């Protein structure tokens, strides 16, 4: 028995590692009626859970099947929840501070977590067994992490660079840095904010501050192109699963669709009046879902015509949803997971 573990957990030591189990009767608080009443007919609330974290939620990740949720709390714990009933499945402890970013592996068996700039570590977790597989100390805090489509590699973004990691060997294969002179060295807010892979894992994408999109060849570890548009400051981006294009959501509310192989801008339109926090393709790339926390609005648009298909207005809970909080779409783009105050996650149906 590990001294210091709170009463709802116990630890077994195997090869100096700690397996953490949750008691069967630990559940999140169900607040769906509260948020349904607040939003009325302007947004359909599928779930609203208050998860147990002291100080609130720092990060979240949704499994590809939408059955499980990972939350990283400011209390230092990472917790795995069953989204169907709010049950706590596991609690993981390894970071010396909170996990600033989280992500599931494609098969949902593993997760990666990264700490902020104060305690610079990246941890790979075995979720089935509740084990820390390994941890890597990095030179600066982790801004974002992403598994490769085959789950064998990962990208993680630091403030001044991003790195391609072999997960089985726990080694860094190559490092991509930003050649921006003094601006590229000073870090946040001018560092690498987000990273992603192309659908086949051949290309790696990195967002440098709000200024530029960078594209790397994964096999060679070399930069092949970049994108910058003075009319659009990058707030979020997502690669298509069907075509060699990126959808880029701007700080000023614009959307750009950019072909990174042809190196040309295909479409540009105004989607929001505020910063686009998150963006995702849906319906085989025919639709694009976007959300602006500043507006309190999510939209579903037609990529070909740039016409609005649906608008979800959650401005009635703007007092609970912070502009800089977490907002994640499900893999299919049909649902939006919003972080609200008091460690609450609200799930909205988009279409």
């Amino acid at each position: 028995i590990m001294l210091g573990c709170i009463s709802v957990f116990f630890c077994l030591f195997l090869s100096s590692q700690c397996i953490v189990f949750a008691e069967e009767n630990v559940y999140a608080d169900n607040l769906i009626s509260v948020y349904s009443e607040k939003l009325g007919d302007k947004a359909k609330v599928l779930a609203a859970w208050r998860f147990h974290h002291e100080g609130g939620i720092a990060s979240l990740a949704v499994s590809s099947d939408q059955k499980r949720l990972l939350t990283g709390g400011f209390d230092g714990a990472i917790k795995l929840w069953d989204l169907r009933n709010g049950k706590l499945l596991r609690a993981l402890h390894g970071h010396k501070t909170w996990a600033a970013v989280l992500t599931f592996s494609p098969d949902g068996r593993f997760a990666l977590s990264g700490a902020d700039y104060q305690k610079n570590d990246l941890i790979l977790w075995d979720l089935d067994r509740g084990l820390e597989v390994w941890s890597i100390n990095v030179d600066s805090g982790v801004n974002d992490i992403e598994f490769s489509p085959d789950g064998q590699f990962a990208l993680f973004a630091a403030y001044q660079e991003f790195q391609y990691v072999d997960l089985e060997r726990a080694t860094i294969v190559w490092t991509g840095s930003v050649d921006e002179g003094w601006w590229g060295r000073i870090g946040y807010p001018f560092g690498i904010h987000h990273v992603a892979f192309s659908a086949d894992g051949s290309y790696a994408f990195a967002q440098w501050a709000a200024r530029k999109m960078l594209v790397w060849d994964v096999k060679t570890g070399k930069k092949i192109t970049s994108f910058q548009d003075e009319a659009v400051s990058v707030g979020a981006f997502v690669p298509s699963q069907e075509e060699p294009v990126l959808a880029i959501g701007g700080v000023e509310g614009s959307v750009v669709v950019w072909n990174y192989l042809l190196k040309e801008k295909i479409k540009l339109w105004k989607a929001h009046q505020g910063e686009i926090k998150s963006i995702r393709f849906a319906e085989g790339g025919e639709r694009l879902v976007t959300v602006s926390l500043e507006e309190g609005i999510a939209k579903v648009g037609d990529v070909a015509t740039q016409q609005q298909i649906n608008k979800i207005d959650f401005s009635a809970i703007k007092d609970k949803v912070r502009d800089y909080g977490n907002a994640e779409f499900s893999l299919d783009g049909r649902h939006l997971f919003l972080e609200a105050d008091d460690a609450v996650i609200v799930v909205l149906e988009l279409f």
Side-chain angles (χ1 to χ4, degrees):
I1 302 298
M2 178 180 177
L3 296 177
C5 283
I6 59 176
S7 60
V8 296
F9 309 109
F10 64 91
C11 294
L12 300 178
F13 284 90
L14 294 176
S15 303
S16 75
Q17 293 179 310
C18 182
I19 307 177
V20 186
F21 299 89
E23 285 186 353
E24 294 182 357
N25 62 347
V26 178
Y27 288 84
D29 301 323
N30 190 343
L31 302 179
I32 187 169
S33 60
V34 174
Y35 280 85
S36 295
E37 182 178 349
K38 285 178 178 289
L39 291 173
D41 59 3
K42 292 185 176 181
K44 183 175 181 180
V45 181
L46 297 180
W49 299 105
R50 179 187 287 126
F51 298 106
H52 303 295
H53 282 288
E54 292 294 332
I57 292 173
S59 55
L60 66 91
V62 186
S63 64
S64 59
D65 62 6
Q66 301 181 56
K67 294 179 180 178
R68 294 178 300 162
L69 183 78
L70 276 170
T71 56
F74 286 109
D75 54 9
I78 298 171
K79 296 183 179 181
L80 179 66
W81 305 87
D82 188 326
L83 274 172
R84 295 165 295 185
N85 55 21
K87 181 181 179 181
L88 178 62
L89 302 175
R90 293 200 184 279
L92 310 169
H93 300 271
H95 292 290
K96 296 180 179 66
T97 182
W98 60 85
V101 286
L102 291 166
T103 188
F104 279 94
S105 64
D107 62 7
R109 294 178 52 225
F110 296 89
L112 281 164
S113 62
D116 72 347
Y117 66 93
Q118 295 176 331
K119 301 291 183 181
N120 311 321
D121 52 348
L122 177 72
I123 298 178
L124 176 67
W125 301 94
D126 183 328
L127 296 179
D128 290 342
R129 297 186 294 166
L131 283 173
E132 176 183 321
V133 181
W134 51 250
S135 64
I136 296 177
N137 185 264
V138 296
D139 292 335
S140 56
V142 181
N143 281 348
D144 195 22
I145 41 180
E146 184 83 9
F147 279 93
S148 62
D150 63 6
Q152 302 301 306
F153 298 88
L155 288 169
F156 75 88
Y159 287 108
Q160 300 154 18
E161 60 191 17
F162 68 103
Q163 296 179 316
Y164 181 64
V165 182
D166 184 318
L167 296 177
E168 183 177 359
R169 294 177 174 83
T171 56
I172 295 171
V173 181
W174 53 259
T175 298
S177 59
V178 180
D179 184 18
E180 297 290 340
W182 181 77
W183 291 106
R185 292 192 295 272
I186 61 174
Y188 190 86
F190 298 101
I192 301 290
H193 287 191
H194 301 292
V195 290
F197 284 96
S198 61
D200 63 0
S202 298
Y203 299 99
F205 309 105
Q207 173 197 341
W208 182 68
R211 295 169 59 87
K212 186 179 288 188
M213 289 300 310
L214 309 169
V215 185
W216 252 258
D217 184 298
V218 167
K219 186 175 181 179
T220 64
K222 302 295 184 182
K223 186 176 77 171
I224 59 172
T225 190
S226 62
F227 168 84
Q228 187 171 7
D229 191 320
E230 295 301 325
V232 179
S233 299
V234 182
F237 77 94
V238 65
S240 168
Q241 297 297 299
E242 287 75 31
E243 300 179 83
V245 299
L246 296 175
I248 300 167
V251 171
E252 62 291 294
S254 298
V255 170
V256 177
V257 179
W258 180 58
N259 188 306
Y260 53 85
L261 294 185
L262 298 178
K263 303 179 183 179
E264 66 180 24
K265 181 169 61 180
I266 301 172
K267 301 178 187 297
L268 171 64
W269 73 92
K270 186 78 169 180
H272 290 271
Q273 298 304 312
E275 178 180 352
I276 295 177
K277 175 67 176 179
S278 190
I279 186 169
R280 183 171 288 280
F281 283 103
E283 298 292 280
E286 296 181 0
R287 295 181 178 183
L288 198 64
V289 291
T290 55
V291 61
S292 171
L293 298 183
E294 289 181 10
E295 287 185 297
I297 289 174
K299 292 184 178 181
V300 183
D302 184 284
V303 175
T305 65
Q306 294 97 62
Q307 296 299 307
Q308 179 179 301
I309 297 173
N310 196 16
K311 176 181 174 181
I312 298 87
D313 186 343
F314 57 90
S315 58
I317 58 170
K318 271 285 289 152
D319 60 326
K320 298 290 186 182
V321 178
R322 297 167 292 171
D323 291 351
Y324 54 87
N326 291 289
E328 301 287 344
F329 291 112
S330 59
L331 187 63
D332 61 8
R334 289 181 172 272
H335 305 123
L336 174 63
F337 294 76
L338 284 174
E339 175 199 351
D341 288 345
D342 302 322
V344 173
I345 301 297
V346 182
V347 186
L348 303 180
E349 183 178 74
L350 303 181
F351 63 93

